[in-house]
Amino acid sequence: MTDAQTVSDLTKEQARLELARLAALLGRANTAYHREDAPEISDAEYDAAKRRNAEIEMHFPELKRDDSPSEVVGAAPGEGFGKISHVVPMLSLGNAFEDDDVTDFDDRIRKYLNLGARRELQFIAEPKIDGLSLSLRYEGGHLVYAATRGDGETGENVTENAKTIADIPRVLEAAPDVIEVRGEVYMSHADFEALNTRIREKNAKLEADGKKPLTVFANPRNAAAGSLRQLDPTVTRERPLRFFAYAWGDLSAPLAKTQMGAIERLAALGFVTNDLTKLCDGPEALIAHYRDIETQRVSLGYDIDGVVYKVDDLGLQARLGFRSTTPRWAVAHKFPAELAWTRLEGIDIQVGRTGALSPVARLQPVTVGGVVVSNATLHNEDYIAGRDSKGADIRDGKDIRVGDWVQVYRAGDVIPKVADVDLSKRAEGAERYVLPERCPECDSPAVREEGDAVRYCTGGLICPSQAIEKLRHFVARKALDIEGLGAKQIEMFFDDPDLSIKTPADIFTLANRDAANLTSLKNRKGWKDKSVANLFAAIEAKRDIGFARLLFGLGIRHIGETGAKDLAQHFGEWSKLERAAETARPAALAWRAADLAEDAERIAAAKGGRRGRIKEVRDAAEAACNVSVVAKAAWDDLTGIDGIGASVALSLTDAFANENERAEIDRLVGMLRIEAPEAMLTESPVAGKTVVFTGKLEKMTRDEAKVRAEALGAKVSGSVSSKTDILVAGPGAGSKAKKAADLGVTTIDEDGWLELIEGL
Ligand code: IVH
């Protein structure tokens, strides 16, 4: 093998031959990997060949070939796509399921905008395409990049692939200088079938040659995603993808005054827009169009999963703005849930960061509404036994056993659930399922407290799956971000019996260990006096920590970065957050009870082929919990925070009510100095100021005024005190205006306020 020969020993002729051999080898490997999804050589062999090729090219630059493998862009296995951060984030949509949710949507908007019930409010309704969203940025009329949604903030650069899609123009005429067109990439049913047929034919050949077959796509959405995210654009070119334009991001000039106008403009620019987009004058017309689209669904030739409603007036859209991840001016009305029968192959137990044992159904894969489902949540042991949290029957009291035929229910993005069990197919001798009484991860007793539906591992920090997950999250970049302390070091410290870093608080006691233990750290490979000192300094520096970072770092279920920021912004002080979580607890439990009741009703309705009495059932379950006014007020305050939904609020109260978790939080908090959140927009003239609105506002509603003010970093309070900086007084302002005058608080009218925040 010439590979063995040192590059500097090669003659020029040997080098030329070797470069030719490597170009052929790597070219073949690329095709096998990217185009046929059937790698012929290992990643390690591939990398070694690529390195050797580069080394020879460096020694003999004059021999570099025109088709040099080092010039092949973006096609190296595992290299992935570049990242693009979206100038305007790509958000998702809130969901509606029932007709009532549509009227609620209209009511909410009218209330927010203070429109009254009779003022005209137009919407557009259009199909919700089941594909993947893509943002196309054009500058000076030329496509500069195409990016996937990613996490909404940062997506993948798939420009070369997007250029292969016929519906995507490369050049625009008479467009704004900067325009980002957004829409959905999808694959038609016919193209999807044809693609799978081609793959099956290829597989027959591959199998005959004893090679690994290619994956047959489960549905058009997966096929579209798999094709767009191909590292080799020539593969994407062979996959017939399409694109519907329905939205936009960054713009240097507005497209129109209305959503419909903007869509027409996009069509005039050469984009494909959806024909079923319709202007509607209210909920009734929206629902009528929804039904119409629902009946056409089977014959459209592409997958849709609902209908999207958007406020037509773009001025109103701007006023309505966004919650943390969804616009207030749009909603997705989803098609009803789908059901399918399959076999329950087993029940797995997952142990989460909080120690909760969650049973998960392992199913024989089945397609439910176009998506392959192989797992479903089983909630807890009562649910498996066929009872709800109050002991009432669910699924007519039928329990779930391994080996059973179960009916799987799926609605929109909701995690699949088991809706029913076919007792006639139950195997003889099938036994009732019993949740393990010991943690499958650490063998500690797993106990269930009186009144609690969940069984928890009592191992706490000795349970590796809880402890390590918590620690890893705690030191992550978006959480504490301690320099020199990443996931790798955490694992090492966790396993080291001398250092024994088992909890976040332990990190802050690391420097207090006795010398002998620290010697053990210093004796480790790669750790020297200096690096240990640096690590201690880095840890010390994080004793002053931002409220939101700390809260996010605790890894409480559902509390992501944005949620943590919203909570920090609202409460300002840690003790206030604690108090709110404690006070709201009974109301949180009532909400959970109502949610379970709602689920049960939804499933019953889907099975009975009727529309559910969701609201009534929910309200009744909640009322049965008989929550105090104080708890309800705390819960309303918590869930009233923009961006904080009930499940986030519930998790928060869960964490503070869990004894072990709470003790750890308190211990950690005791070691830190928590910094109050910074105002969101420090350069705004109202940042950090306390503002009170009183009297009648004429150009906006209170809600809107409050959201705007808070977005600019102000604190909005309901009463005037010496802490008030600005009173915005509309007509009819009474005692508050007087008090403000007495206290010497700056008082302005609504126009004065709008002038102050103008352009922000
Ligand atoms: S509007 C600010 N319109 O649905 C929100 N989205 O669940 C902009 N989608 O991420 C989205 N069809 O990928 C909009 N006609 C449509 C859509 C649509 C499909 C997708 C989109 C979005 C997801 C949200």
Side-chain angles (χ1 to χ4, degrees):
M1 268 289 275
T2 22
D3 267 13
Q5 204 171 341
T6 317
V7 170
S8 49
D9 292 346
L10 292 175
T11 64
K12 203 165 174 176
E13 183 53 18
Q14 279 172 326
R16 197 183 56 75
L17 286 173
E18 175 104 36
L19 284 177
R21 184 184 72 85
L22 288 168
L25 174 82
L26 288 163
R28 220 171 34 241
N30 271 338
T31 314
Y33 185 93
H34 296 293
R35 223 167 296 173
E36 290 158 9
D37 281 344
E40 286 174 353
I41 60 173
S42 73
D43 286 0
E45 284 171 291
Y46 181 94
D47 289 343
K50 225 170 164 172
R51 270 197 307 275
R52 184 163 175 86
N53 183 71
E55 208 183 329
I56 301 175
E57 285 178 350
M58 218 170 66
H59 269 83
F60 301 94
E62 71 282 11
L63 295 183
K64 189 166 169 180
R65 300 166 58 94
D66 288 343
D67 65 349
S68 160
S70 35
E71 298 299 318
V72 177
V73 251
E79 224 172 55
F81 296 97
K83 297 272 175 278
I84 285 185
S85 76
H86 299 297
V87 180
V88 177
M90 289 181 82
L91 301 175
S92 59
L93 293 168
N95 289 334
F97 291 99
E98 311 293 324
D99 292 357
D100 277 356
D101 298 336
V102 182
T103 22
D104 284 355
F105 169 62
D106 178 67
D107 288 347
R108 262 198 320 271
I109 290 175
R110 287 179 181 279
K111 203 159 147 230
Y112 193 92
L113 297 172
N114 201 13
L115 288 185
R118 270 198 283 278
R119 273 271 296 280
E120 177 179 277
L121 181 59
Q122 303 254 41
F123 297 90
I124 64 136
E126 66 193 32
K128 182 170 189 300
I129 316 296
D130 198 6
L132 64 154
S133 46
L134 187 69
S135 185
L136 307 167
R137 187 176 175 93
Y138 294 82
E139 287 174 14
H142 291 271
L143 177 63
V144 287
Y145 63 70
T148 60
R149 174 163 180 248
D151 62 3
E153 304 266 343
T154 313
E156 284 179 327
N157 182 347
V158 291
T159 313
E160 293 312 311
N161 294 346
K163 284 182 183 164
T164 69
I165 301 177
D167 292 344
I168 296 179
R170 296 223 196 169
V171 183
L172 303 181
E173 264 169 45
D177 187 41
V178 174
I179 172 172
E180 279 177 14
V181 177
R182 292 180 175 176
E184 205 83 353
V185 173
Y186 68 100
M187 193 179 279
S188 75
H189 290 161
D191 289 337
F192 165 70
E193 295 302 338
L195 173 63
N196 267 351
T197 307
R198 280 209 306 277
I199 292 179
R200 284 198 193 93
E201 283 165 8
K202 227 182 218 170
N203 279 352
K205 231 175 71 203
L206 287 171
E207 267 162 45
D209 294 350
K211 288 189 188 146
K212 209 177 118 230
L214 313 176
T215 326
V216 176
F217 289 109
N219 56 49
R221 195 194 167 281
N222 288 2
S227 307
L228 185 68
R229 297 188 65 264
Q230 273 292 334
L231 284 169
D232 183 351
T234 55
V235 179
T236 313
R237 192 181 295 281
E238 290 164 9
R239 307 269 174 94
L241 293 174
R242 313 220 175 156
F243 180 78
F244 272 129
Y246 54 66
W248 53 91
D250 199 14
L251 281 179
S252 57
L255 291 175
K257 285 201 159 74
T258 61
Q259 180 78 30
M260 197 56 144
I263 298 298
E264 281 160 6
R265 178 87 194 277
L266 291 178
L269 288 172
F271 289 94
V272 183
T273 57
N274 196 293
D275 298 345
L276 293 170
T277 307
K278 187 176 177 189
L279 200 59
C280 297
D281 62 5
E284 251 175 58
L286 290 174
I287 293 169
H289 193 47
Y290 171 90
R291 299 260 181 274
D292 191 19
I293 292 180
E294 200 176 16
T295 51
Q296 294 187 51
R297 186 179 182 189
V298 284
S299 51
L300 287 179
Y302 51 87
D303 275 351
I304 62 173
D305 55 348
V307 179
V308 185
Y309 306 143
K310 301 173 183 172
V311 168
D312 189 44
D313 183 323
L314 296 183
L316 296 183
Q317 279 192 11
R319 277 179 63 194
L320 285 158
F322 299 87
R323 300 179 209 97
S324 69
T325 56
T326 56
R328 284 196 190 80
W329 44 264
V331 76
H333 191 177
K334 293 293 193 70
F335 292 131
E338 315 232 12
L339 297 159
W341 286 97
T342 187
R343 215 177 84 91
L344 175 66
E345 292 184 330
I347 296 180
D348 293 338
I349 300 293
Q350 290 175 355
V351 185
R353 274 205 293 254
T354 59
L357 265 53
S358 317
V360 178
R362 207 161 13 84
L363 305 165
Q364 190 176 322
V366 62
T367 307
V368 192
V371 172
V372 177
V373 170
S374 48
N375 291 309
T377 172
L378 291 173
H379 296 293
N380 54 50
E381 48 196 316
D382 284 345
Y383 182 85
I384 297 176
R387 287 187 305 268
D388 73 4
S389 61
K390 294 256 163 330
D393 279 356
I394 45 177
R395 297 182 302 269
D396 300 326
K398 289 182 227 171
D399 71 317
I400 299 172
R401 303 186 187 184
V402 172
D404 275 348
W405 278 88
V406 292
Q407 193 178 30
V408 184
Y409 159 96
R410 193 186 143 261
D413 318 322
V414 177
I415 307 169
K417 296 180 176 143
V418 171
D420 201 359
V421 181
D422 186 344
L423 294 182
S424 71
K425 288 199 180 150
R426 177 169 283 171
E428 233 173 89
E431 288 181 21
R432 270 189 180 271
Y433 179 77
V434 195
L435 210 74
E437 291 186 1
R438 304 198 85 87
C439 168
E441 299 290 339
C442 70
D443 205 37
S444 301
V447 299
R448 182 177 169 191
E449 310 250 323
E450 190 66 37
D452 205 337
V454 177
R455 192 172 280 275
Y456 284 96
C457 161
T458 53
L461 301 161
I462 67 154
C463 179
S465 108
Q466 286 177 65
I468 273 265
E469 281 309 312
K470 259 194 149 64
L471 275 172
R472 224 184 255 140
H473 177 81
F474 186 72
V475 300
R477 195 170 52 79
K478 289 177 169 180
L480 270 273
D481 191 23
I482 299 172
E483 214 180 316
L485 193 60
K488 212 171 86 203
Q489 288 81 3
I490 279 291
E491 267 160 45
M492 195 173 95
F493 293 174
F494 184 85
D495 290 333
D496 185 321
D498 294 331
L499 297 174
S500 174
I501 301 280
K502 304 288 185 201
T503 74
D506 289 343
I507 294 174
F508 290 93
T509 64
L510 184 63
N512 310 343
R513 303 299 148 88
D514 40 34
N517 289 347
L518 288 180
T519 317
S520 126
L521 172 58
K522 288 178 192 168
N523 285 343
R524 285 178 170 278
K525 215 172 115 217
W527 288 88
K528 306 212 175 63
D529 279 356
K530 184 141 192 291
S531 48
V532 173
N534 285 347
L535 175 64
F536 287 175
I539 293 174
E540 213 39 47
K542 294 294 159 113
R543 269 191 211 274
D544 293 291
I545 189 76
F547 189 143
R549 264 185 193 273
L550 172 64
L551 180 55
F552 172 66
L554 293 179
I556 298 171
R557 209 164 145 229
H558 298 314
I559 301 193
E561 230 190 326
T562 326
K565 276 190 197 149
D566 293 339
L567 287 162
Q569 199 71 35
H570 183 81
F571 290 107
E573 284 168 38
W574 191 262
S575 58
K576 290 192 178 148
L577 173 80
E578 270 173 355
R579 207 169 326 124
E582 286 164 11
T583 318
R585 181 64 176 162
L589 294 176
W591 184 87
R592 172 147 53 204
D595 211 46
L596 287 173
E598 172 176 335
D599 262 356
E601 169 67 6
R602 235 185 242 295
I603 290 175
K607 286 166 61 64
R610 60 179 169 90
R611 301 217 155 242
R613 291 171 56 239
I614 309 293
K615 270 215 160 60
E616 292 94 313
V617 170
R618 232 204 124 89
D619 292 348
E622 196 157 3
C625 294
N626 201 10
V627 171
S628 78
V629 180
V630 182
K632 184 79 175 70
W635 173 253
D636 288 346
D637 179 60
L638 197 55
T639 51
I641 302 171
D642 206 29
I644 302 298
S647 51
V648 179
L650 177 65
S651 284
L652 180 77
T653 72
D654 276 346
F656 280 82
N658 177 309
E659 231 173 278
N660 292 338
E661 211 173 344
R662 178 63 183 270
E664 264 311 309
I665 295 177
D666 290 351
R667 175 163 164 253
L668 174 67
V669 166
M671 294 186 199
L672 306 175
R673 288 175 294 265
I674 304 172
E675 293 162 356
E678 277 173 41
M680 283 188 229
L681 246 183
T682 36
E683 69 270 28
S684 116
V686 297
K689 297 260 162 65
T690 300
V691 182
V692 175
F693 292 95
T694 188
K696 189 165 166 33
L697 299 180
E698 285 165 335
K699 304 210 165 104
M700 53 193 165
T701 60
R702 276 290 168 80
D703 270 351
E704 193 181 354
K706 182 166 182 277
V707 171
R708 271 297 276 140
E710 283 174 350
L712 295 170
K715 270 193 174 164
V716 178
S717 162
S719 58
V720 175
S721 74
S722 56
K723 287 199 199 125
T724 311
D725 296 299
I726 304 170
L727 178 77
V728 182
S735 60
K736 284 185 194 163
K738 184 168 178 306
K739 189 163 177 197
D742 292 347
L743 290 169
V745 171
T746 311
T747 302
I748 53 178
D749 62 8
E750 191 179 1
D751 285 335
W753 167 256
L754 290 173
E755 219 168 277
L756 188 62
I757 62 169
E758 194 182 62
L760 293 174

